[in-house]
Amino acid sequence: MLSSSMPHSTRAKEAPSKRAVLPTGTVTFLFSDIEGSTERWETHHDAMKAAVERHEQLLRQAISRYGGYIFKTLGDAFCSAFATAPNALNAAVDAQRALGTEDFSAVQALRVRMGLHTGYADERDADYFGPTVNRVARLMSIGHGAQVLLSDATHALVQNEAPPDTIFTDLGLHRLKDFAQPEHVWQATFNGHKCDFPPLRSLDALPNNLPIQVTSFRGREQDLQDLKPRLIEHRLITLVGAGGVGKTRLVAELGAEVLDRFPDGVWIADLAPITEPELVSSVVAKALGVSQAQMRLSDESITQSLKGRQLLLVLDNCEHVLETVAALAHAIHCHCPNVRILATSRQALGVPGEKVVRLESLAVPYKLASIDPAIALEFGAVALFADRASLVDQSFRLGGDNAPIVADICRRLDGIPLAIELAAARVNVMSVANLAHRLDERFKVLTGGSRTVLPRQKTLCALFDWSYDLLGPEERVLFNRLAIFAGSFTHDAAACVCAGDGAEQADVLDPIVSLAGKSLLVVDTSDDQERYRMLESTREYALAKLTASGERERLARRYADYFCGVAQRAEKSFGAMQLSEWLARLEPEVENLRATMDWSLVKGQEPALGACVAVALQMFWWHGGVEAEGIRWIGLARRQIDEAEQPRIAAQLRQAIALLMSRVLHS
């Protein structure tokens, strides 16, 4: 079954037939898939294989007969394009006629739903992109098996050129997922074809309070697919992630996707605007439509009203009223077996039975001098930037000249959707090259968000202010100090560098774990020892706080002393283990060691310390394949070390640079 929210660039491409002609410009799309195919595969696997193969033959014959171009298939789903709308409708009708004459009783019937829509579409590499493609996918998704749905645009083009026995039924306006403007939907039937269908699965037809989305859903398509089965497996899920990472938009999209699974609807309770925990019950009751005049606003009363109801309750933005939300969620979870709860927060609720799902930043390309635009758009962050930039500047196009710059912007913004949207909103007044250059001032540049959003979403700085204000005093102190780490760090490193003056070494672990739980630190547990790091934008914010506290220079010196010790211990351990193991142990510290040398040598704070680090790493420069970098650091140190005053260090520098130069000359 085709997922209508899946980015079309990630679907399996269809090899074009030799006779098919690729339509361009204004195109009529015909999308189809088999209703309920997953269940049939599980219960009638062998018979389903034969049925799907026959279905594929019939679809291909009908589409080919009318000059259609199949540009993508995924499982039993077909995505095809036609130069004219009448040809697309004829193909759909012929396919449905052919399917109707087949005996699919071995799989308890096989019904195919179809959607047709006409509009302009961007074509690239034999694939289509843009709102027209997204709309036809959404249109098809609200239909039922054997149903043929047409948009108003397609209906206007075919009503006088349809097959003789075709009957069009006006199904009215329907709100489609991911689209602000509703679609006027028509149904096409013909003699002998089923014409009585249940109500469409549009947002208007099913109970919900889902917000109308005025922008398209970009970058989180795979996350959406991953979350769907988890809603079946778990009754209480908390989606955790950093501020601005896109939790709210994802759960709203998920609610729209699974709406037809919940007879009593999908209901979102937005807790962001409230300031008092006592108001949580009131907001949830209002979202659920529970009459407050007939109930006491308590957890027990809400759970009583939900008993026997089958619905999805979304508790959005819980982090500032966490304890109250946790108590309510736990009560519902214990007493309402048919209610699914999906919470969003910057940290977990911490209640029994909770499944915590962490939402990471959007995917970004590796740092490259050049990147093909089509490949760049496969990364969620770039796709989001390109989409939002085109909204504010219709002339914006992602091309070979700006794709590497956009990729760099997205990478430096850590793939955070809110930051990317704020950046993209600037392209109407600033070139992407200038925008990239100005990212060092990101908290000044990334302002001016939508007037309708919460204040904390208007600027990147306000976003971090919200999280920072929720921290306790000890957490704030440690958060500020951890910004001194340029790369990832261990608990021991944090304890040695950041302890003191209100943060004792033994007391550092709990605040670090808490900061990670609140999505302000990223945790890597892939190795024997966990490592922590800050995203670049988070670190920039924390560094500003550290500077304002007056502690930055003191922390910088302790940081440099610590990593000088790391380099010297690495030098002593060289040869005591396998080279690969030695390099693997040192590699995670390289960014911090570079920052230490930058502070010591480039900024001139402690040249002798920087020289010691550069010399201690000479085996790393040699065996790590970065001799040129080692020569640069050692050369910089030599220019700052007075041989008369520090002859031992000067001699070590001469030996180290001679060693590396010999490596370069003989390589």
Side-chain angles (χ1 to χ4, degrees):
M1 185 179 296
L2 175 67
S3 168
S4 59
S5 65
M6 207 171 170
H8 303 293
S9 59
T10 63
R11 295 179 184 155
K13 286 192 177 181
E14 174 75 8
S17 86
K18 294 181 179 179
R19 292 183 295 175
V21 177
L22 178 69
T24 58
T26 300
V27 177
T28 297
F29 292 99
L30 167 60
F31 277 27
S32 71
D33 76 356
I34 299 174
E35 182 181 51
S37 62
T38 301
E39 181 181 351
R40 285 172 170 79
W41 274 110
E42 291 178 355
T43 56
H44 307 283
H45 185 274
D46 293 338
M48 190 62 177
K49 182 178 180 182
V52 169
E53 288 177 354
R54 181 56 179 157
H55 148 268
E56 180 176 336
Q57 292 172 356
L58 297 176
L59 261 291
R60 289 185 182 278
Q61 289 171 6
I63 293 170
S64 175
R65 186 177 302 124
Y66 291 96
Y69 178 89
I70 301 171
F71 64 92
K72 204 165 295 181
T73 60
L74 182 65
D76 54 59
F78 275 75
C79 304
S80 56
F82 294 79
T84 70
N87 279 353
L89 178 60
N90 274 286
V93 170
D94 273 19
Q96 292 288 14
R97 287 186 194 276
L99 289 165
T101 62
E102 292 289 321
D103 180 9
F104 290 119
S105 58
V107 294
Q108 297 183 343
L110 189 148
R111 298 184 179 90
V112 177
R113 57 180 178 175
M114 297 181 178
L116 293 89
H117 177 51
T118 305
Y120 181 83
D122 292 323
E123 181 274 323
R124 184 170 60 252
D125 296 333
D127 199 358
Y128 294 93
F129 303 85
T132 300
V133 183
N134 298 330
R135 186 170 283 267
V136 68
R138 292 302 195 188
L139 177 64
M140 181 203 68
S141 71
I142 68 172
H144 301 275
Q147 194 169 27
V148 179
L149 300 179
L150 289 73
S151 68
D152 199 47
T154 301
H155 173 259
L157 294 171
V158 302
Q159 58 182 329
N160 297 322
E161 298 185 52
D165 59 348
T166 303
I167 300 172
F168 294 108
T169 304
D170 187 347
L171 300 183
L173 292 173
H174 289 268
R175 188 155 61 96
L176 304 179
K177 303 168 189 176
D178 210 25
F179 283 93
Q181 297 300 318
E183 178 61 59
H184 192 162
V185 181
W186 298 80
Q187 174 184 288
T189 56
F190 49 87
N191 288 342
H193 184 65
K194 178 180 171 63
C195 60
D196 184 20
F197 295 95
L200 296 179
R201 299 185 181 100
S202 64
L203 298 184
D204 302 298
L206 300 170
N208 71 92
N209 68 341
L210 295 169
I212 296 175
Q213 302 296 343
V214 297
T215 56
S216 57
F217 185 68
R218 289 287 184 273
R220 291 281 182 209
E221 293 84 2
Q222 189 57 53
D223 295 304
L224 186 65
Q225 299 309 311
D226 293 342
L227 269 177
K228 285 182 184 179
R230 288 178 174 175
L231 269 182
I232 299 175
E233 298 169 11
H234 306 281
R235 291 173 42 232
L236 171 57
I237 296 175
T238 302
L239 187 66
V240 299
V245 81
K247 301 183 293 294
T248 294
R249 181 60 189 272
L250 178 57
V251 296
E253 197 72 17
L254 178 64
E257 286 286 325
V258 301
L259 188 54
D260 55 355
R261 297 183 188 176
F262 297 95
D264 295 310
V266 174
W267 307 97
I268 296 181
D270 183 9
L271 305 175
I274 68 174
T275 56
E276 299 298 328
E278 293 78 11
L279 297 176
V280 168
S281 293
S282 179
V283 171
V284 174
K286 183 177 180 181
L288 290 168
V290 176
S291 174
Q292 298 183 28
Q294 299 176 10
M295 60 171 285
R296 300 186 311 277
L297 292 180
S298 65
D299 294 357
E300 293 81 5
S301 299
I302 291 177
T303 55
Q304 185 65 36
S305 72
L306 292 180
K307 285 183 177 179
R309 297 174 69 182
Q310 189 173 344
L311 58 81
L312 172 63
L313 173 61
V314 178
L315 302 173
D316 196 23
N317 297 299
C318 302
E319 56 272 350
H320 59 305
V321 285
L322 205 62
E323 291 186 8
T324 305
V325 172
L328 175 60
H330 182 57
I332 296 173
H333 186 57
C334 290
H335 297 99
C336 307
N338 295 320
V339 173
R340 292 288 193 272
I341 301 172
L342 179 59
T344 73
S345 178
R346 301 188 188 186
Q347 65 183 114
L349 299 183
V351 298
E354 175 188 26
K355 172 65 176 179
V356 179
V357 178
R358 181 162 294 279
L359 187 62
E360 305 294 346
S361 297
L362 293 176
V364 297
Y366 291 107
K367 191 170 185 178
L368 299 169
S370 63
I371 185 171
D372 182 86
I375 294 176
L377 284 169
E378 294 180 1
F379 292 86
V382 176
L384 179 65
F385 184 99
D387 181 79
R388 300 304 190 257
S390 64
L391 290 179
V392 298
D393 182 1
Q394 294 183 356
S395 66
F396 178 85
R397 291 290 184 275
L398 192 73
D401 57 337
N402 63 8
I405 303 173
V406 170
D408 183 59
I409 291 171
C410 294
R411 186 169 46 251
R412 293 177 62 191
L413 292 176
D414 307 303
I416 299 174
L418 178 61
I420 291 170
E421 294 204 29
L422 291 172
R426 291 295 188 184
V427 300
N428 63 333
V429 294
M430 190 181 298
S431 70
V432 290
N434 191 27
L435 178 60
H437 178 71
R438 295 283 302 279
L439 279 189
D440 288 340
E441 303 172 326
R442 68 190 69 190
F443 292 109
K444 295 179 181 178
V445 175
L446 303 186
T447 61
S450 169
R451 292 186 177 90
T452 62
V453 299
L454 292 168
R456 70 170 186 259
Q457 296 174 325
K458 291 180 182 293
T459 71
L460 189 61
C461 187
L463 175 71
F464 285 107
D465 284 343
W466 170 259
S467 292
Y468 190 78
D469 290 343
L470 293 176
L471 298 178
E474 291 184 359
E475 291 174 320
R476 291 185 190 182
V477 169
L478 187 60
F479 174 74
N480 298 348
R481 293 177 181 178
L482 290 175
I484 204 68
F485 289 91
S488 65
F489 54 89
T490 63
H491 165 254
D492 290 342
C496 290
V497 174
C498 300
D501 298 327
E504 298 306 316
Q505 283 198 20
D507 300 329
V508 167
L509 178 59
D510 286 344
I512 286 180
V513 172
S514 179
L515 290 172
K518 294 176 179 178
S519 304
L520 290 170
L521 291 177
V522 178
V523 188
D524 181 2
T525 58
S526 60
D527 210 343
D528 294 339
Q529 185 178 30
E530 63 271 13
R531 297 186 68 88
Y532 306 86
R533 65 181 175 88
M534 285 184 173
L535 296 177
E536 184 175 333
S537 296
T538 308
R539 181 172 181 253
E540 288 292 330
Y541 178 88
L543 274 174
K545 292 290 186 182
L546 180 62
T547 302
S549 72
E551 289 192 313
R552 184 167 180 173
E553 282 308 309
R554 180 179 67 83
L555 263 292
R557 179 166 293 279
R558 294 182 66 177
Y559 172 80
D561 287 339
Y562 177 83
F563 282 100
C564 180
V566 168
Q568 290 173 334
R569 287 191 294 274
E571 181 182 32
K572 291 178 181 178
S573 66
F574 181 77
M577 63 188 76
Q578 292 290 330
L579 177 62
S580 58
E581 181 183 355
W582 184 83
L583 288 171
R585 289 190 178 186
L586 189 57
E587 186 65 38
E589 310 293 359
V590 169
E591 288 301 319
N592 292 308
L593 292 165
R594 285 171 176 152
T596 296
M597 290 183 288
D598 182 79
W599 178 82
S600 305
L601 299 171
V602 178
K603 294 182 174 63
Q605 297 294 329
E606 190 67 62
L609 185 148
C612 288
V613 173
V615 169
L617 293 176
Q618 58 184 302
M619 289 296 102
F620 175 76
W621 308 130
W622 177 291
H623 294 285
V626 283
E627 302 93 333
E629 181 183 353
I631 291 171
R632 172 183 173 272
W633 287 117
I634 293 170
L636 187 60
R638 286 188 67 188
R639 291 192 291 272
Q640 298 184 49
I641 296 298
D642 188 316
E643 292 204 26
E645 294 182 4
Q646 297 170 305
R648 184 179 62 84
I649 295 178
Q652 291 175 337
L653 289 169
R654 286 196 301 271
Q655 293 172 2
I657 202 165
L659 175 71
L660 294 178
M661 287 300 296
S662 69
R663 171 83 169 189
V664 171
L665 292 173
H666 290 89
S667 61

